[in-house]
Amino acid sequence: GAVKKEGVEVVRHYMHLFMALCAQRHELLHALLDAYVQATPGVRTAVQHSITDMIKAIGAESPVLLKIIGNFPKGSELLLLAFVRTLTETGNPGQHKKLLDAIKALYARIGDARFMIYICSALSRSEVEELLPRIVALPQVGVKAALHRLLHARYSALTPEKLMLALHKLSPAGKDLTLKKIAEAIELCFNDRAIFTTQVLAVVLQQLLDQNPLPELYMRTVLLALKAEPTLTDFVTSRMGILQRLISKHVWTMPTLWKGFIKCCRQTLPRSAGVLVQLPPQQLSKAVIECEELGKPLALYITDQLAQGYNVPGQILKIVETWMRGSNAPALRQNSRSEAEREGEGRDSPADAR
């Protein structure tokens, strides 16, 4: 064991000596890459973790390094990624135009989006939007790195709001870009609370709601926003809030969004009861059937409306009558029916304000 450890230390010592020479004579990088391709997995990992000082010394303007980025030996991809990451981890990648062009040319040739992670903050808006499906299709560690660079870049072509819109516009394609992967990328953004503050989340939800058609993941995003920032409940359930606007868009005709709408109403009870009664009776009945937990809070809301003298349509009363039994609601309900028969009497309930 001691001999083996001593051998590893000797290898590491000579490796550092060779890298110091590479920093002085850039042509030696070719020999380093050739040796890397032939090395064992353990040695490869050690090399990847040891190149930082060497690459910083060589710099992004080295003609030899730029040529290697454009044409490197097969099997040395991870080492090249380490090179590019080191060259771009400080400052603006866009200040090194030759490096930027070399990486773009490499991506155009081989289509490996991993290399673009490190320069995405220096791309134009159209370039980022075109690249986004390839980025989201990467393993999560790559997606997280790219989103972090986009969101925290000093100069980025996409604001956090625009990035979120672009993610919601993505469509599943093939086995790598699935709806689950898109949803995970959106959630990674939400987890960055330094960027996605309450105000930014509200703007995102509003802008997404203005899209036509509504993104399939919209209600999932609303629920994520409420989980991240419960103070958004008023924004979601108010008279002109998100749930109300979804009713005006006939959310019940969109199966995936309808399921999310019901889940959101359940999560925001009792505040959402005033929104639920705005549904057409047939859709309200469907909602209560699909989620019985809505029934009792809805009945309590309607009972309170009756107690205040509001008229409630008989169709709505019938939907919640099971939950209203056993209280003084039946008498109030009868009074409401009698008053409703007399045209012009009583006040309109919020349920009649459709």
Side-chain angles (χ1 to χ4, degrees):
V3 173
K4 185 176 180 180
K5 183 177 179 181
E6 182 180 338
V8 170
E9 291 302 320
V10 170
V11 170
R12 187 171 296 169
H13 172 71
Y14 282 110
M15 182 173 66
H16 283 293
L17 284 177
F18 183 72
M19 288 186 180
L21 288 173
C22 287
Q24 299 298 320
R25 295 180 57 192
H26 302 176
E27 292 81 6
L28 291 174
L29 285 172
H30 294 288
L32 176 63
L33 266 70
D34 290 338
Y36 174 87
V37 171
Q38 301 299 322
T40 63
V43 172
R44 288 187 182 190
T45 300
V47 173
Q48 292 167 31
H49 291 164
S50 304
I51 55 88
T52 301
D53 291 340
M54 176 191 73
I55 292 298
K56 285 182 177 179
I58 292 173
E61 302 298 322
S62 167
V64 174
L65 182 54
L66 291 172
K67 187 175 181 180
I68 287 174
I69 290 173
N71 186 22
F72 54 85
K74 186 177 180 180
S76 62
E77 290 84 359
L78 292 179
L79 183 57
L80 260 294
L81 283 168
F83 286 1
V84 172
R85 182 177 63 249
T86 302
L87 291 169
T88 59
E89 65 187 357
T90 57
N92 177 16
Q95 67 186 348
H96 302 295
K97 186 177 183 305
K98 290 181 180 179
L99 175 64
L100 204 63
D101 291 342
I103 296 172
K104 287 183 181 181
L106 174 64
Y107 173 68
R109 183 167 61 85
I110 67 174
D112 191 338
R114 292 178 298 173
F115 288 94
M116 299 295 281
I117 290 172
Y118 305 109
I119 65 167
C120 58
S121 61
L123 301 178
S124 67
R125 178 175 175 176
S126 62
E127 286 175 324
V128 173
E129 290 177 344
E130 184 180 346
L131 177 66
L132 208 51
R134 292 284 190 94
I135 290 291
V136 174
L138 291 172
Q140 192 176 71
V141 63
V143 180
K144 188 174 183 179
L147 293 177
H148 181 83
R149 292 213 172 201
L150 283 170
L151 291 170
H152 290 270
R154 187 173 181 182
Y155 304 104
S156 180
L158 286 182
T159 63
E161 297 89 343
K162 295 299 182 185
L163 175 60
M164 193 66 82
L165 281 175
L167 287 171
H168 279 81
K169 288 179 179 179
L170 294 180
S171 299
K175 62 182 180 65
D176 293 324
L177 185 61
T178 62
L179 194 65
K180 181 182 178 182
K181 289 279 292 179
I182 298 170
E184 288 173 351
I186 292 169
E187 191 163 358
L188 282 172
C189 291
F190 269 86
N191 292 339
D192 194 337
R193 295 310 314 281
I195 299 295
F196 286 91
T197 61
T198 304
Q199 292 76 17
V200 172
L201 290 176
V203 171
V204 166
L205 296 181
Q206 191 66 49
Q207 290 183 352
L208 288 171
L209 190 56
D210 291 334
Q211 301 299 303
N212 186 22
L214 281 170
E216 187 174 359
L217 290 170
Y218 179 65
M219 287 311 304
R220 186 180 187 278
T221 297
V222 172
L223 292 166
L224 278 175
L226 286 170
K227 182 180 178 181
E229 194 54 71
T231 57
L232 286 170
T233 299
D234 287 343
F235 179 71
V236 172
T237 61
S238 65
R239 186 171 179 82
M240 295 302 292
I242 287 172
L243 294 178
Q244 181 68 55
R245 286 194 60 194
L246 285 168
I247 291 175
S248 71
K249 291 176 177 286
H250 294 187
V251 64
W252 55 87
T253 65
M254 298 168 269
T256 300
L257 294 172
W258 172 247
K259 289 180 182 179
F261 175 88
I262 293 175
K263 188 173 182 180
C264 187
C265 287
R266 182 187 67 192
Q267 185 171 314
T268 54
L269 286 169
R271 300 294 298 275
S272 60
V275 178
L276 281 166
V277 295
Q278 305 299 320
L279 285 166
Q282 184 178 353
Q283 277 67 46
L284 178 60
S285 176
K286 184 180 178 183
V288 174
I289 290 171
E290 292 182 20
C291 182
E292 292 188 359
E293 295 171 58
L294 301 176
K296 186 174 181 180
L298 191 57
L300 291 172
Y301 174 82
I302 292 173
T303 300
D304 182 64
Q305 294 296 300
L306 292 171
Q308 294 182 51
Y310 288 107
N311 291 325
V312 178
Q315 288 176 294
I316 292 180
L317 291 168
K318 187 175 181 180
I319 291 169
V320 297
E321 64 182 350
T322 300
W323 289 274
M324 296 178 75
R325 288 173 187 158
S327 67
N328 63 342
L332 292 167
R333 198 161 64 243
Q334 184 61 44
N335 290 340
S336 178
R337 288 197 184 101
S338 299
E339 292 174 2
E341 291 171 358
R342 296 193 294 272
E343 185 177 353
E345 293 186 12
R347 291 180 287 172
D348 288 336
S349 162
D352 293 326
R354 293 191 294 271

